[in-house]
Each structure stands twice: as C-alpha cells, then as structure tokens.
Amino acid sequence: MARPTPMARVLSKNTVSPSAIAVTIDSPSNSHPLAEIAVNTPAPAVASTQAMRSTPPIVERIALTPTEPSSDMRERARRLVTAHATAEPRAARAPNVVSSITSGSYPLDNPGGARRRSYTVRFLVYGAVFALAFVAFSLVSFWLAVRPPRLAIPQAPGDYGLKVETVTISADDGVRLAAWLLPRAGAPALVLLHGYPAEKADLLPIAAALSPRFTVLLLDQRYFGESGGHATTIGFRERGDLRRVIDFLGSRGFKEVGVFGLSLGGAVALLAAAEDPRIRAVAAYAPFADLRLLGYELYGWLWYLKYPFVGLLRGWSLLFFSHDITTVSPERAAAALSVPVLLVASRQDEQIPFAHAERLQRALARDTRSEFVFMDRGRHGELPRGFEASLARFFLLYVR
C-alpha cells in the first residue's frame, strides 16, 4: 500500500504566533537540516474494505513560511480598526505629553498668562512713550515762554516829534538794557515798561502824551527790543533791572519816580514797588496776579495734567535759571504795598483773565489811594478813551 502524501496544514489560533504558517516536508537532499518537529497526524481515511491499522508517529523535517492571514484574523483586525475610528475624539487622541508635564504647579503652556504679560509690556511701553512726550512738550513750552518771538513795533520817536537820548544801563548780571530818555528839566520822572513780547516803541503814544509834564524813560526789558539777555524771566530778574534803571535816574537827580507798566510791565512795576521805596506810584494795565496761577489757566486744556505740567515748568526754570521763576506773584507784592496803585483791566481780555484784576483789587483794598478802572469791553492792550490824561493826573498827585 502506497504511503500517503502529507497535506499542507495551517496552525490554529492556539499556536505561539498569531500569523498563519504552512507546514511542508523538506526533501532528504536538503543540505541544511531543519529543526525536527514531531507531528501526530491522524491516519487518512481508507475504504471501508481495507483493514484499519494504527500508523506509527512519523518524524518529519518541516520549514515555517508565512502565508496570507486567515479570514478570521482579517475580520478581527477590521473590527479593531472600526472600533478605534468610531471612538470619542479624546479617547482616540494620543495623550498630550507636554500638557501632562505642565499640568502641575509650574505650568509651561499657559496662554492666558502669556497674554497678560503681553498686555503689561505693551502698557509699560505706551506709558513710557507718553511720559517722554509729555516731558518733551513741557520743555518746548517752557523754552517758547522764556524765548518768545520778538515783536517789532514799526514806530520811531520821530513819528511823534520826540527827540530822545539813547542810553544803556547795565543790569545786575551784566545784561545791557537799552532805553530812550526824554528829559525835561525840573519835571518828575516816569519809567514806562512795555508788555510781553513787545518793545519800548509800543509805548511811544503814551510817552508823547506824558513828555510835556514829565521826564520819561522808555525801557526795553531784557531779551526784548535792543536789550541783551538770552531769555526773559517773566518778572523774576526784571524787577532787579527796574531798580538799576531807578539808580540811573537817581544819578540824573531824580530821587523819586513813578512807573507805568503794560501787562508784564505792570507786574514788574508791582514787584519792584514792594521792594524799592523810591517808587512813589504805580499804574498797571492788565498785569497778571500770580505766574503759577496763570500757567494753570493757560494749560487748563490739559485738565488734571496741568498740575504736573506746571511742575515741570518749575523744574526747567530751576535747571536753566537756578531759580523757580513761577514764584513771581504781584498779588503778594500788592498786599505789601503802601503806595497808590492805578489798576486798569478789561473784562474781555483774552490774554490775562479778568480774575487776575479781581485778585489784585482784593490785595489792594486796604490802600484807600488806589484806583481801579475796569472796562466792560476791550481786548488786551486796548486803552480806554482819555487814558493818557487820567494817567498824567494820577502821577502828578503822587510823584514830585
């Protein structure tokens, strides 16, 4: 009876490898012996007429080669893929290692904190830029205040038939002050001080009206007109300049003088009169009462920032002049005066608010010889009708 040929076999799912392998018989002529595996194979079915006999176990040499997976394994793989694809997104996604690490007390991945830090840095940068711009603006404003464009007045003494003596007076700090002197023998002396930012020629009409009865000196205040000086101090050093002018008139024989001042000139006259008893009477048109108060009013559009802004102006004056020029206060000087004052102001003044005139009036209230002329109309610098005659009458009363 012929020996049965072994059939190809597939490992069951209980073998050690999940892959399907085929079992084949190696030929005896193979020069590389393979591992011997004992396989108990059942005897093949025979015809019923053949006697049944037991077949002894056969020791075979077999080779393991991969084959296609079975349909059962393919079905299992398909089910696994389908289950993973239909799972919840959080369950299907791989774990976030960075989030797991940084979920403790010291997070590295914190978009909210990064956004807050970005806002803080931006706020600090914008604040620094604004502060620098604010300081720069205050410096420019201060520089324009003490070095304003000079106003040239197209008038000359000859236009009023006046013959003047040109004089030069040295200030305490050496600044050369230019002046015109209209002498008149035996007449009392008056000093005329122009406003800001004008010059002495602006007061030629008043000088022409007063010259028949007075010796008149028209002064260019420092920095303005033909006078020297790198800047105006808005009254701080100008009051000392006026004292030197009075010294000059004293050398010409005038022991007492009267002073008329327009705007800044009026403030300087009040300041100097509180310190120099040789000034016997003061006439002031629209002077400011307090320089710091005027600064708050001029920069009132800055709202609450006007206070640090004026504070910066004080700092710049200390830096450039070694003094705080904003302390200039004709109001305090007026309260200490014992000489008569003629105060003139307009309620419509667009440069010096009328409130300054009211403050000065209250400061001068105790002096019964002081006079107040308040106009309902008129811009800054507009004098009331007949003003020159009233001015001459006032000085004739108190200056000898």
Side-chain angles (χ1 to χ4, degrees):
M1 181 173 168
R3 185 179 181 180
T5 303
M7 300 177 61
R9 306 175 68 184
V10 179
L11 294 178
S12 70
K13 59 183 180 181
N14 295 324
T15 58
V16 294
S17 173
S19 303
I21 57 175
V23 180
T24 58
I25 300 175
D26 191 11
S27 61
S29 61
N30 194 333
S31 58
H32 301 284
L34 300 176
E36 293 185 358
I37 302 178
V39 179
N40 295 324
T41 58
V46 295
S48 58
T49 57
Q50 185 177 358
M52 300 297 295
R53 62 190 181 93
S54 60
T55 304
I58 301 173
V59 177
E60 300 174 339
R61 297 177 183 273
I62 62 173
L64 304 179
T65 58
T67 63
E68 293 294 329
S70 67
S71 60
D72 180 59
M73 297 189 68
R74 284 197 298 269
E75 179 64 19
R76 294 177 61 193
R78 185 186 67 78
R79 292 178 180 177
L80 289 173
V81 172
T82 303
H84 182 75
T86 58
E88 291 293 330
R90 287 184 175 272
R93 189 170 58 240
N96 189 337
V97 178
V98 175
S99 299
S100 299
I101 295 175
T102 60
S103 60
S105 302
Y106 303 93
L108 300 176
D109 185 11
N110 189 355
R115 190 179 298 110
R116 287 192 295 271
R117 287 193 296 272
S118 176
Y119 290 155
T120 301
V121 171
R122 189 177 304 175
F123 175 79
L124 292 176
V125 171
Y126 289 166
V129 171
F130 176 79
L132 289 175
F134 189 77
V135 172
F137 177 61
S138 70
L139 176 59
V140 172
S141 300
F142 174 80
W143 198 248
L144 290 177
V146 298
R147 292 180 59 86
R150 304 187 188 195
L151 181 62
I153 307 299
Q155 297 181 148
D159 298 337
Y160 296 89
L162 301 176
K163 295 181 179 180
V164 300
E165 176 186 348
T166 301
V167 298
T168 302
I169 303 169
S170 295
D172 293 335
D173 57 356
V175 172
R176 309 291 287 179
L177 305 173
W180 288 332
L181 179 64
L182 283 76
R184 178 167 293 279
L190 300 179
V191 179
L192 307 186
L193 301 176
H194 62 81
Y196 174 101
E199 56 163 307
K200 59 184 182 295
D202 192 37
L203 299 180
L204 279 173
I206 297 178
L210 296 176
S211 60
R213 298 182 179 182
F214 299 92
T215 293
V216 180
L217 186 144
L218 298 90
L219 177 68
D220 272 335
Q221 301 197 68
R222 63 170 58 222
Y223 174 77
F224 298 111
E226 298 176 339
S227 290
H230 299 294
T232 175
T233 60
I234 319 179
F236 183 79
R237 291 178 178 168
E238 284 75 4
R239 55 188 172 183
D241 298 343
L242 179 55
R243 290 196 298 269
R244 295 306 302 268
V245 170
I246 297 174
D247 291 340
F248 168 79
L249 290 173
S251 66
R252 295 291 184 98
F254 299 97
K255 304 302 182 183
E256 298 178 355
V257 300
V259 181
F260 167 74
L262 178 69
S263 188
L264 171 62
V268 172
L270 291 172
L271 292 168
E275 301 172 351
D276 196 329
R278 294 173 296 178
I279 299 177
R280 304 305 301 166
V282 172
Y285 174 89
F288 59 84
D290 186 271
L291 188 56
R292 193 173 300 173
L293 173 64
L294 183 61
Y296 292 145
E297 293 170 343
L298 291 177
Y299 298 104
W301 55 274
L302 291 173
W303 292 26
Y304 289 107
L305 291 178
K306 65 185 178 182
Y307 299 107
F309 189 86
V310 174
L312 285 172
L313 298 182
R314 297 170 58 190
W316 296 128
S317 67
L318 288 170
L319 178 63
F320 291 105
F321 299 130
S322 300
H323 295 282
D324 181 7
I325 65 175
T326 65
T327 59
V328 170
S329 178
E331 180 182 10
R332 290 197 299 269
L337 284 178
S338 58
V339 298
V341 175
L342 172 62
L343 181 62
V344 183
S346 172
R347 300 181 188 275
Q348 293 183 342
D349 196 311
E350 76 284 2
Q351 295 188 23
I352 306 297
F354 184 72
H356 287 254
E358 294 176 326
R359 294 173 70 100
L360 289 171
Q361 182 183 26
R362 290 192 294 268
L364 295 167
R366 65 184 184 85
D367 190 345
T368 57
R369 295 178 298 173
S370 294
E371 303 178 21
F372 308 98
V373 179
F374 295 155
M375 303 173 291
D376 293 331
R377 297 183 179 181
R379 296 173 61 84
H380 188 76
E382 293 185 18
L383 300 175
R385 181 176 299 180
F387 176 74
E388 290 82 356
S390 299
L391 192 61
R393 177 193 57 80
F394 175 76
F395 281 125
L396 285 173
L397 284 175
Y398 302 109
V399 182
R400 297 290 185 265

